[in-house]
Amino acid sequence: MRLNKDKHIGRVLFIVEGSRTEFSILRQIFCNLLGYSYVEKRRNRPTYFESSNDRFSKIGVINTQESNIRDISENEAYLDEVFDTLRDQYQFPVDQSAIYYLFDRDPKSNTDSALIEKYILSLTNPYDNDDYKAGQLLLSYPSIESYIISNFRDTANVPQFLLGKDVKAYIGENTDIQINRISEETLIKAADEFLRYLSSEQITFDVDEFSEASHAVFTKQEAEYLSGQGFRLFSMLTLAFLQMGIIESEKFEI
């Protein structure tokens, strides 16, 4: 595994669930570590934030109108308005960009498992999904904080958690786990944890055709949650980095 800081990625849009943690993670990685151009719009702030550094690589980060995975297909007027602003004012052609939906599988906030499964099977490609909207769904189990932990811990040795609030509490008790400490080295650590989870669950995958693997992860994680054990920490955010070529591996299939 290696980090390719010279990779030109074009335009990539992340549509996220939360209003804080996801933005902090992505800004740390794309602005502070990689030096890409970056624009963000949070639903609870009236203004946009922009950093212009690399004209060949630009990241957009926005969130849905509500903090719920259902808003991927509901309240689309809000997203359309943000898309128009990105196109007109920030030279960010959304319809020509890779799109990633970064959401949690926290059963307290996202209760409709059938809808989540539908999104897993429909949002399978960041550029084109035939008769469905473009975009790759990136789920974190149970929440995006699992990605933060994977930068600093062997997740197989971390307890399983039922809810995102439990993961937040774990981070609060382990003060070395901080977003501002995410580095080039920890990104590789998180990527290794991503691959280690898939290997331990014997889930084969192709980095460019990940939908079957994503569904297998969902099925296994749901079974563990329903048994009362809780979710194993796992975030698909690393998949985006592999697909973009930011993180390179000699072997993409296991």
Side-chain angles (χ1 to χ4, degrees):
M1 288 282 196
R2 63 179 292 269
L3 187 68
N4 184 357
K5 297 182 69 174
D6 298 321
K7 179 71 175 181
H8 297 317
I9 63 167
R11 301 292 186 268
V12 179
L13 178 65
F14 285 87
I15 301 172
V16 306
E17 179 174 1
S19 292
R20 182 177 179 181
T21 303
E22 293 93 335
F23 287 90
S24 298
I25 293 171
L26 296 173
R27 192 188 290 195
Q28 171 70 8
I29 293 170
F30 290 115
C31 286
N32 298 345
L33 297 181
L34 296 174
Y36 290 169
S37 293
Y38 178 95
V39 58
E40 72 175 33
K41 172 64 173 73
R42 308 190 193 197
R43 59 176 168 259
N44 56 351
R45 296 183 183 180
T47 59
Y48 285 68
F49 167 83
E50 184 178 26
S51 173
S52 299
N53 296 307
D54 181 351
R55 65 189 182 94
F56 297 108
S57 302
K58 189 167 188 177
I59 299 294
V61 185
I62 64 175
N63 46 14
T64 47
Q65 188 172 26
E66 302 292 338
S67 181
N68 191 294
I69 199 168
R70 185 181 299 276
D71 261 35
I72 288 177
S73 55
E74 297 183 4
N75 295 322
E76 290 184 310
Y78 169 81
L79 287 177
D80 288 341
E81 182 179 345
V82 177
F83 292 167
D84 288 342
T85 302
L86 288 174
R87 291 188 194 96
D88 298 341
Q89 298 184 28
Y90 296 94
Q91 295 74 54
F92 199 107
V94 175
D95 53 345
Q96 300 173 33
S97 304
I99 298 175
Y100 291 96
Y101 291 89
L102 183 59
F103 280 77
D104 296 344
R105 176 58 192 112
D106 188 328
K108 188 172 181 64
S109 60
N110 293 319
T111 59
D112 191 339
S113 60
L115 180 63
I116 294 170
E117 187 170 19
K118 173 190 171 183
Y119 287 147
I120 290 171
L121 298 173
S122 301
L123 293 167
T124 63
N125 187 286
Y127 289 100
D128 180 70
N129 287 309
D130 296 326
D131 296 330
Y132 202 65
K133 64 176 70 182
Q136 170 78 60
L137 179 63
L138 305 173
L139 278 180
S140 297
Y141 297 85
S143 63
I144 188 58
E145 284 79 11
S146 63
Y147 179 76
I148 305 172
I149 294 174
S150 70
N151 276 259
F152 303 97
R153 294 287 190 275
D154 294 338
T155 52
N157 298 325
V158 174
Q160 295 181 212
F161 298 98
L162 291 170
L163 300 173
K165 68 181 181 64
D166 303 323
V167 189
K168 291 181 175 71
Y170 177 86
I171 291 176
E173 295 166 358
N174 293 268
T175 56
D176 62 306
I177 302 175
Q178 296 183 21
I179 293 173
N180 62 9
R181 291 184 177 178
I182 292 176
S183 66
E184 296 179 27
E185 292 74 19
T186 71
L187 287 179
I188 300 303
K189 163 70 174 167
D192 287 337
E193 290 299 308
F194 174 87
L195 296 179
R196 189 172 293 117
Y197 170 85
L198 295 171
S199 178
S200 70
E201 293 289 351
Q202 298 182 319
I203 298 174
T204 59
F205 79 96
D206 181 321
V207 71
D208 295 317
E209 300 288 343
F210 199 81
S211 59
E212 288 187 12
S214 180
H215 190 253
V217 170
F218 176 77
T219 301
K220 289 176 179 288
Q221 291 274 21
E222 289 294 290
E224 295 217 32
Y225 168 72
L226 292 173
S227 73
Q229 298 179 71
F231 296 103
R232 289 186 61 187
L233 292 185
F234 181 72
S235 174
M236 286 176 57
L237 179 55
T238 288
L239 175 66
F241 303 150
L242 291 171
Q243 289 183 341
M244 285 187 274
I246 295 170
I247 294 178
E248 297 178 340
S249 172
E250 294 180 359
K251 190 175 183 180
F252 280 148
E253 296 186 11
I254 62 173

